[in-house]
Amino acid sequence: MLLSSFGVNAHVLFNNTQIRALPPGVPNTAAYFEVTNDTDTAITFVSGEADFAKRVEIHTHEQSGDMMQMRKLDSITVNAHETLVFQPGGLHVMLLGLTGSVKPGEHRQVTLISATGNRYSFTAVAVKPGETMSMHSHQH
């Protein structure tokens, strides 16, 4: 019986997905979300892409003396059955070299790429800075 082999589908889940909407002419923005690795294997994200940005990078904020500084990460690992939160002031995805404005309410797709070449896409809604995140859930 085939059903027993498909009882539990391993997947990656993106929740609370949002992109910071900024005024026209601002060249960069950020995406925030929660990613849950509901598989039995760690996933290491090494890059990303979006059709509305020239580059997608994973960043974090670190305390340096009395200042917070943003730093690009070469990779980030989401361990098996772990959830990582990408949020303002912490881990986040930078969308650099925007090819157009990101207006409030727009839905945009972002793809993260793992070290093994697997692609994990999610759709995020653009919100103004300071607005609360809507509850959005996407499975991969």
Side-chain angles (χ1 to χ4, degrees):
M1 177 177 260
L2 287 176
L3 289 177
S4 62
S5 66
F6 297 109
V8 176
N9 284 336
H11 61 273
V12 175
L13 187 65
F14 292 90
N15 288 303
N16 300 323
T17 56
Q18 74 168 2
I19 295 172
R20 183 172 284 169
L22 296 171
V26 176
N28 306 319
T29 192
Y32 307 111
F33 51 91
E34 296 171 9
V35 57
T36 300
N37 176 2
D38 198 19
T39 72
D40 293 328
T41 308
I43 298 170
T44 300
F45 295 113
V46 295
S47 64
E49 61 187 30
D51 64 1
F52 60 98
K54 292 178 183 165
R55 288 194 338 269
V56 175
E57 298 178 352
I58 300 166
H59 284 224
T60 190
H61 279 97
E62 293 180 339
Q63 191 73 31
S64 177
D66 58 353
M67 288 188 359
M68 288 294 284
Q69 293 185 332
M70 192 169 60
R71 182 173 67 90
K72 180 182 182 248
L73 299 175
D74 291 329
S75 66
I76 187 78
T77 299
V78 186
N79 292 316
H81 306 288
E82 178 182 57
T83 298
L84 283 185
V85 177
F86 287 66
Q87 62 189 356
L91 288 172
H92 58 283
V93 169
M94 286 299 299
L95 302 155
L96 306 168
L98 298 177
T99 57
S101 62
V102 178
K103 298 179 182 120
E106 288 183 335
H107 290 81
R108 298 294 185 102
Q109 183 170 305
V110 177
T111 300
L112 296 179
I113 302 168
S114 73
T116 58
N118 291 329
R119 302 166 69 78
Y120 300 88
S121 297
F122 61 91
T123 301
V125 65
V127 297
K128 293 179 187 174
E131 283 187 357
T132 57
M133 289 189 276
S134 302
M135 296 299 284
H136 294 280
S137 177
H138 301 277
Q139 293 184 42
H140 179 82

